[in-house]
Amino acid sequence: QSVLTQPPSASGTPGQRVTISCSGSSSNIGSNTVNWYQQLPGTAPKLLIYSNNQRPSGVPDRFSGSKSGTSASLAISGLQSEDEANYYCAAWDDSLNVVLFGGGTKLTVL
Amino acid sequence: EVQLVESGGGLVQPGGSLRLSCVASGFTFTSYWMHWVRQGPGKGLVWVSRINSDGRSTNYADSVKGRFTISRDNAKNTLYLQMNSLRAEDTAVYYCARDPTVTGIDYWGQGTLVTVSS
């Protein structure tokens, strides 16, 4: 039921800005808010962005989120080696009555 | 400190059953919806089920509907996942997660591994 589409991989060099996209439809991203999660290797996921563009306390302002129509994006500026992780978008789907996760994007810091 | 501690995972044969538990502490359990999310080996996150704060409303992914049952005991601050008719494709780390409803899932446990194999 993964109908949120993310690129499988992304990369950047330290200090660069990278963006990760998440494409959905009118029944999920188009009508509900989007969350982003970061999963470092071997650990549980961690909330990075909620309600499209809000950062929980403790999340650096290098991380930002946006949403337009049926797509959302996560931007990471000033890329650091510790940002190397898998990133997932998520949204509720009104038609399926399920939480959808994107397939995940593996970010590599070169 | 918020804690979600899962237990109950292990090795089970195809067709078998297992019950996962998740003990919550450090927050008001009754104020949160709760979810189970799983992650197969080397795979992405897949939502399994959620339950509202009083336990009266539940939702399931199609892949587990009719086989898995989510429940909670608010007196014990504990979330459960009863898994029946297990299949090899159910092999995964199962995460318990809390949801204040305003933000969606905001905190995850460390997970418990379920392996379905003969």
Side-chain angles (χ1 to χ4, degrees), chain A residues 17-96:
Chain A
R17 181 177 187 271
V18 297
T19 61
I20 297 171
S21 61
C22 175
S23 177
S25 67
S26 58
S27 61
N28 42 70
I29 293 178
S31 50
N32 295 292
T33 59
V34 177
N35 285 4
W36 289 91
Y37 300 93
Q38 177 192 59
Q39 187 176 32
L40 298 170
T43 70
K46 167 192 165 184
L47 179 63
L48 204 59
I49 297 288
Y50 67 93
S51 299
N52 305 325
N53 55 17
Q54 301 299 303
R55 279 187 311 276
S57 61
V59 173
D61 59 7
R62 302 186 296 105
F63 295 90
S64 62
S66 64
K67 186 182 101 167
S68 177
T70 59
S71 294
S73 292
L74 173 70
I76 309 172
S77 60
L79 201 60
Q80 299 180 3
S81 58
E82 55 260 42
D83 298 333
E84 196 160 279
N86 287 304
Y87 293 85
Y88 297 89
C89 59
W92 177 257
D93 190 289
D94 290 334
S95 296
L96 300 172

Side-chain angles (χ1 to χ4, degrees), chain A residues 1 35 37 39 44-45 88 99, chain B residues 39 47 62 95 103 105 108-109:
Chain A
Q1 283 173 311
N35 285 4
Y37 300 93
Q39 187 176 32
Y88 297 89
V99 174
Chain B
Q39 187 170 35
W47 178 81
D62 282 350
Y95 294 102
T103 66
I105 292 174
W108 305 64

Side-chain angles (χ1 to χ4, degrees), chain A residues 101, chain B residues 5-7 20-22 34-38 46-51 69-71 79-82 94-97 105 108 111-112:
Chain A
F101 284 95
Chain B
V5 180
E6 301 95 334
S7 62
L20 306 183
S21 299
C22 170
M34 297 296 294
H35 299 251
W36 288 100
V37 179
R38 68 186 182 185
V46 177
W47 178 81
V48 173
S49 181
R50 78 171 183 183
I51 188 168
T69 302
I70 190 172
S71 63
L79 174 72
Y80 302 101
L81 185 67
Q82 177 66 44
Y94 284 74
Y95 294 102
C96 154
I105 292 174
W108 305 64
T112 186

Side-chain angles (χ1 to χ4, degrees), chain B residues 1-24:
Chain B
E1 178 195 5
V2 173
Q3 283 199 326
L4 294 170
V5 180
E6 301 95 334
S7 62
L11 175 63
V12 61
Q13 291 189 339
S17 297
L18 215 52
R19 188 176 85 154
L20 306 183
S21 299
C22 170
V23 177

Side-chain angles (χ1 to χ4, degrees), chain B residues 11-93:
Chain B
L11 175 63
V12 61
Q13 291 189 339
S17 297
L18 215 52
R19 188 176 85 154
L20 306 183
S21 299
C22 170
V23 177
S25 61
F27 65 98
T28 305
F29 186 64
T30 53
S31 296
Y32 289 77
W33 292 42
M34 297 296 294
H35 299 251
W36 288 100
V37 179
R38 68 186 182 185
Q39 187 170 35
K43 305 289 187 180
L45 302 172
V46 177
W47 178 81
V48 173
S49 181
R50 78 171 183 183
I51 188 168
N52 73 338
S53 53
D54 66 12
R56 295 182 181 184
S57 176
T58 58
N59 300 96
Y60 297 92
D62 282 350
S63 58
V64 307
K65 204 172 290 184
R67 300 188 299 124
F68 290 11
T69 302
I70 190 172
S71 63
R72 64 192 294 165
D73 185 335
N74 285 344
K76 296 182 178 179
N77 283 0
T78 302
L79 174 72
Y80 302 101
L81 185 67
Q82 177 66 44
M83 303 186 296
N84 298 330
S85 303
L86 283 162
R87 307 165 180 167
E89 54 265 36
D90 295 319
T91 294
V93 172

